[in-house]
Amino acid sequence: MSDATMRVRFAPSPTGPFHIGGARSALFNWLLARKTGGKLILRIEDTDLERSSRESEENIKNALKWLGIDWDEGIDAGGEYGPYRQTERLPIYAEYTERLLASGKAYRCYCTDQELDAERQKLMAEGQTPRYLGKCRQLTPADEAALVAEGRKPTVRFRVPENQDITFQDAVRGTVSFDSNGIGDYVIVKSDGIPVYNYAVVLDDALMKITHVVRAEEHLSNTPRQILLYQALGLPLPIFGHVSLILGKDRSKMSKRHGATSVEQYRALGYLPEALVNFLALLGWSPVGEQEIFSSAELIELFSLDHVAKNPAVFDIDKLNWINSQYLKRLDLGSLTDMALPHLREAGLVVGELNEERHEWVKQVVGAVREYISFAAQIPEHAAVFFQDEITMENDETAEILRDPDVPQVMEAFLHKLAVMENVNAEQVQAALKAVGKELKLGGKKVFMPVRVALTGKMHGPELIALIPLLGVERTTARIRRSLALLN
Ligand code: GLU
């Protein structure tokens, strides 16, 4: 694809946490812009005055930046088609509304919410599609004056042409058709003068010269309403591409029940932005071949709408965890330690400022557990055994292991070797454990399992050859003695 004039946009409504579905739409648009040398525009759709907030807008921008998704025009970036926040574009919309009213393509509707509700109930009771039946379609100026005198505030409705087939080629879904009958004249401007999404989006996309509208499938059913407005306004249509819904593993729509749904939550849990980008790219897009780990540069090179699937994308957290663990493996230990520290502090394992020596020790601990984790928030549960000298037996089985008659001599032999060890490192600890087994004629498991249980209270955990050097002679000895004493 080489289309340097491609202009795509991401147009979030700043009404709450930034959902991963939104991040995926942003990413797909970004990949298209970067691949073609086109432009990505960030527009804020804040016409829902009650639910929109600047705080949410900030969250979205921060999340995009964290993911490495930058934009060329729009909020903060500027550009020749601004302003880029819909509430700052009201005069622009008003001008077009006047034109639609003057040409009779739209009209003022004075029906109250109660009247509209009654109409809807009646249609539903008759088994018909609820829609506006056009009560205010033919009002005369005198009728309108009388309604205004009653104190009614009008909305503006678009006059939907009858019997019109609305067919378009969706870049993802192929040919899509809707029938204009049954849509009913819809509101484009509310009684407070604020345009609705379906209207503002058309004017913005057209005036910002958007060439490709790539967005979530939930907007597919809005598209016929938008196309009718493009036609009424004589504006050129963009190419639409509707990307599938994201479902949970149980195939119901992705929701909080399935785990974290916002980018912020994944960030807080200690996922890496590159991993999340990699994972989001694969939510609905499948490259040719088996490769699953892609750098941003590779995604930009390979991405195309042709390989975006029509069927729903399934959010597989295990896959995200696997991808993230691949990225974590490649991360340098210093950076991983920086990611781990807030979690270790939150778990109460690290308190106060760390001096250089202690920081280095924590870093080694992080290094010892990194192979067991998928994201940074899992570090404390694996690292706790390095910090906590109070040992509690995990279960009866662990207590049983320490009651074995061979255990006292195993421990004494090991502690002796430890006491005389020149340098407590992985090799020497390994050699000592081996030698104890040999001297006492016991299998390896009979040595390292009781040592592990005495040191941690658990049967599984980090390698002893990593744990013991990091605990050092004193703490290792004290833990073993305390565990043995607990049993007597
Ligand atoms: N503001 C809409 C949303 O967040 C954008 C829809 C669109 O891309 O047209 O869902």
Side-chain angles (χ1 to χ4, degrees):
M1 216 187 304
S2 161
D3 181 1
T5 55
M6 192 174 204
R7 290 177 58 83
V8 290
R9 81 319 190 256
F10 177 55
S13 302
T15 53
F18 186 36
H19 195 272
I20 40 155
R24 184 196 50 177
S25 293
L27 176 63
F28 282 15
N29 281 292
W30 181 76
L31 291 172
L32 287 169
R34 294 296 166 263
K35 185 185 178 86
T36 60
K39 296 268 190 280
L40 173 63
I41 289 99
L42 178 63
R43 180 174 72 229
I44 299 296
E45 302 206 327
D46 60 346
T47 55
D48 184 339
L49 304 182
E50 264 166 39
R51 294 175 57 227
S52 298
S53 74
R54 283 297 169 100
E55 187 194 345
S56 165
E57 183 182 316
E58 285 304 311
N59 278 344
I60 293 171
K61 287 189 296 190
N62 288 337
L64 290 172
K65 286 179 200 161
W66 179 70
L67 288 169
I69 297 176
D70 56 349
W71 56 97
D72 310 292
E73 267 180 51
I75 286 294
D76 294 356
E80 52 182 310
Y81 303 102
Y84 292 94
R85 196 179 283 112
Q86 288 187 328
T87 49
E88 290 165 18
R89 297 175 63 78
L90 300 180
I92 302 175
Y93 308 130
E95 190 190 315
Y96 283 87
T97 308
E98 284 312 316
R99 283 195 216 168
L100 286 171
L101 286 167
S103 64
K105 289 176 178 164
Y107 58 90
R108 292 195 175 83
C109 166
Y110 295 85
C111 296
T112 62
D113 287 347
Q114 290 85 331
E115 287 164 348
L116 295 170
D117 199 44
E119 177 174 274
R120 208 172 7 237
Q121 299 296 342
K122 185 163 174 282
L123 285 170
M124 288 203 310
E126 290 166 2
Q128 296 198 52
T129 316
R131 63 194 187 281
Y132 183 65
L133 292 178
K135 189 167 169 211
C136 297
R137 263 192 155 202
Q138 312 292 351
L139 295 179
T140 62
D143 295 335
E144 291 205 39
L147 289 160
V148 171
E150 276 179 37
R152 295 190 183 222
K153 283 205 150 201
T155 59
V156 177
R157 280 188 191 270
F158 177 64
R159 200 183 293 275
V160 174
E162 277 168 36
N163 303 322
Q164 194 161 317
D165 169 58
I166 307 156
T167 296
F168 62 98
Q169 293 302 319
D170 189 284
V172 174
R173 325 202 82 75
T175 307
V176 181
S177 291
F178 291 91
D179 179 356
S180 73
N181 295 336
I183 294 183
D185 296 349
Y186 46 91
V187 172
I188 54 173
V189 183
K190 292 179 285 181
S191 57
D192 58 4
I194 307 288
V196 303
Y197 156 71
N198 271 327
Y199 179 44
V201 75
V202 167
L203 288 173
D204 290 349
D205 285 340
L207 298 174
M208 293 176 189
K209 302 209 170 4
I210 301 301
T211 58
H212 295 69
V213 169
V214 176
R215 61 185 172 195
E217 187 184 350
E218 63 201 14
H219 291 294
L220 186 62
S221 59
N222 286 321
T223 308
R225 286 174 169 76
Q226 294 173 15
I227 289 178
L228 290 173
L229 282 163
Y230 276 98
Q231 291 170 343
L233 291 158
L235 296 168
L237 282 176
I239 291 170
F240 292 99
H242 288 91
V243 182
S244 310
L245 289 179
I246 301 177
L247 303 183
K249 253 185 164 174
D250 61 358
R251 304 234 141 214
S252 67
K253 194 171 179 220
M254 178 77 186
S255 73
K256 291 195 180 106
R257 275 187 306 116
H258 298 101
T261 53
S262 74
V263 174
E264 194 47 44
Q265 284 170 298
Y266 285 99
R267 182 182 184 169
L269 284 169
Y271 288 82
L272 287 168
E274 302 82 1
L276 203 53
V277 159
N278 189 149
F279 174 73
L280 290 173
L282 298 175
L283 269 183
W285 170 70
S286 7
V288 184
E290 299 293 308
Q291 187 180 342
E292 297 206 275
I293 300 296
F294 296 94
S295 65
S296 287
E298 286 173 307
L299 292 173
I300 290 168
E301 193 190 320
L302 296 170
F303 187 79
S304 85
L305 285 177
D306 309 341
H307 285 97
V308 172
K310 273 193 235 179
N311 47 327
V314 173
F315 189 96
D316 180 351
I317 188 73
D318 298 328
K319 182 161 178 182
L320 171 58
N321 284 342
W322 177 79
I323 291 176
N324 200 57
S325 68
Q326 298 303 306
Y327 281 84
L328 286 180
K329 280 200 179 93
R330 302 178 193 176
L331 193 66
D332 69 280
L333 191 51
S335 305
L336 184 59
T337 307
D338 291 342
M339 285 178 79
L341 274 169
H343 299 283
L344 291 169
R345 288 186 193 283
E346 201 183 305
L349 296 173
V350 169
V351 183
E353 283 310 303
L354 296 177
N355 63 25
E356 213 175 299
E357 193 189 344
R358 184 70 177 160
H359 187 272
E360 183 55 33
W361 183 82
V362 172
K363 193 167 154 185
Q364 298 309 318
V365 169
V366 172
V369 301
R370 69 184 298 167
E371 65 182 287
Y372 305 104
I373 58 151
S374 301
F375 50 94
Q378 290 176 326
I379 289 176
E381 82 186 68
H382 293 278
V385 291
F386 290 85
F387 291 86
Q388 294 164 335
D389 289 324
E390 284 308 318
I391 311 298
T392 42
M393 290 299 130
E394 186 175 45
N395 51 37
D396 292 346
E397 210 180 331
T398 51
E400 230 15 73
I401 287 169
L402 291 189
R403 287 204 182 91
D404 187 285
D406 288 326
V407 163
Q409 46 170 348
V410 166
M411 296 301 176
E412 286 315 319
F414 179 65
L415 288 176
H416 176 72
K417 291 199 187 306
L418 190 65
V420 300
M421 208 174 272
E422 254 168 53
N423 205 342
V424 187
N425 59 27
E427 293 79 49
Q428 301 225 3
V429 170
Q430 175 86 304
L433 289 166
K434 238 178 151 170
V436 170
K438 211 165 170 193
E439 284 164 23
L440 300 176
K441 299 198 172 35
L442 293 170
K445 205 175 168 192
K446 282 274 220 173
V447 177
F448 70 74
M449 195 48 101
V451 173
R452 166 181 297 290
V453 169
L455 286 176
T456 67
K458 297 184 177 71
M459 292 174 59
H460 303 281
E463 302 267 12
L464 290 178
I465 57 169
L467 179 64
I468 294 170
L470 283 167
L471 290 179
V473 179
E474 251 173 67
R475 290 177 67 202
T476 302
T477 310
R479 282 194 191 191
I480 289 178
R481 295 236 178 275
R482 210 169 317 126
S483 289
L484 293 180
L486 271 180
L487 294 170
N488 298 323

